[in-house]
Amino acid sequence: DLGITHGKNAADHISAAVRRVQAHHKELPALVFTLSKSLRLGRQVDEALAIVEAEHAARPTYLSAVFLAGVLRDRGEVDKAQKAFEEALAKQPDDVSVRLDLGDLSLDLGRHDDAIKQYEWVLAREPQNDWAQPSVHYARYVKTGDKPSRDALEALAAVDKKGRAQSLAFAITPFLGFLPRRPESVLQAVDAVREQIRQKGMDEFKK
């Protein structure tokens, strides 16, 4: 099992195990992605970036773009991360998770119109999305000081005591705010890789 376990020691053990398998299956992108995630968990971000960049240069895919974006965001290279997510989106335009990541990155960069555009796209397809709903109200309020947007966010926060809405309502409270991060799409990509390995075996990734 190549499952992702949190913690630096666990990440080191996973990296070592993946490297042993990779020695015999160097052509498998799934192993590169699993290794990059374990390196990130172990805070070896530079090494993670090197292997993902090499994989993306050799075989640019949706997954390689998502993993590259995740590593770049860990390094604080938000502009580059946004470009990588946009590349992933070009390959899978209907990916809700990447749309949300792009919205969040746009907020980080102060690009409120871009953030609103991504959140509205998600809400047009998933009107009850519990990340996009409060996020779009937050982005509108931060952009314009629009009171109805703040009221809508606070109404969601009154129901959602521990989730995104509560965090964003806290973030707009003077002197207390911070902008929380969403569990990123790369984690979903890791889960997808793991499931494919379990269901189809290593040979599937040689195609």
Side-chain angles (χ1 to χ4, degrees):
D1 185 4
L2 297 179
I4 299 300
T5 305
H6 292 278
K8 186 177 187 306
N9 290 337
D12 289 342
H13 286 304
I14 293 169
S15 295
V18 172
R19 288 184 189 282
R20 287 195 294 273
V21 178
Q22 192 182 30
H24 302 285
H25 301 279
K26 293 182 179 179
E27 74 285 8
L28 298 182
L31 294 177
V32 172
F33 301 145
T34 304
L35 177 58
S36 74
K37 185 59 186 179
S38 64
L39 288 169
R40 290 172 63 195
L41 291 172
R43 299 183 181 179
Q44 301 174 56
V45 182
D46 291 344
E47 186 174 357
L49 178 62
I51 66 170
V52 173
E53 281 185 328
E55 174 62 30
H56 189 62
R59 289 174 286 270
T61 64
Y62 159 80
L63 277 177
S64 67
V66 168
F67 276 83
L68 178 59
V71 178
L72 289 167
R73 179 159 59 182
D74 281 356
R75 287 170 53 88
E77 299 183 52
V78 183
D79 279 309
K80 290 182 179 180
Q82 184 174 33
K83 290 179 182 178
F85 274 129
E86 288 172 348
E87 186 175 347
L89 195 64
K91 298 178 184 299
Q92 292 195 21
D94 293 333
D95 191 306
V96 167
S97 185
V98 170
R99 294 271 184 181
L100 292 174
D101 277 316
L102 278 170
D104 294 349
L105 282 173
S106 295
L107 278 185
D108 290 343
L109 293 167
R111 298 170 183 167
H112 302 117
D113 288 334
D114 291 341
I116 291 167
K117 177 182 176 181
Q118 296 301 342
Y119 297 137
E120 287 181 339
W121 185 98
V122 172
L123 289 170
R125 290 152 182 82
E126 298 182 6
Q128 301 304 314
N129 187 285
D130 62 2
W131 193 273
Q133 265 192 328
S135 296
V136 75
H137 293 310
Y138 173 86
R140 288 170 181 157
Y141 175 75
V142 171
K143 177 187 175 186
T144 66
D146 177 47
K147 186 177 185 298
S149 294
R150 178 168 186 153
D151 291 344
L153 174 58
E154 290 178 344
L156 289 172
V159 177
D160 180 21
K161 296 295 185 181
K162 296 183 179 180
R164 173 70 166 175
Q166 184 67 224
S167 297
L168 291 178
F170 182 80
I172 60 176
T173 302
F175 310 114
L176 295 177
F178 67 95
L179 191 59
R181 285 182 55 182
R182 190 181 70 86
E184 61 182 286
S185 52
V186 69
L187 292 177
Q188 296 183 21
V190 168
D191 289 340
V193 168
R194 291 171 58 194
E195 188 61 25
Q196 289 180 62
I197 291 174
R198 288 194 180 108
Q199 291 184 1
K200 301 179 181 180
M202 292 295 189
D203 290 342
E204 179 66 19
F205 294 96
K206 297 179 181 180
K207 296 178 182 179

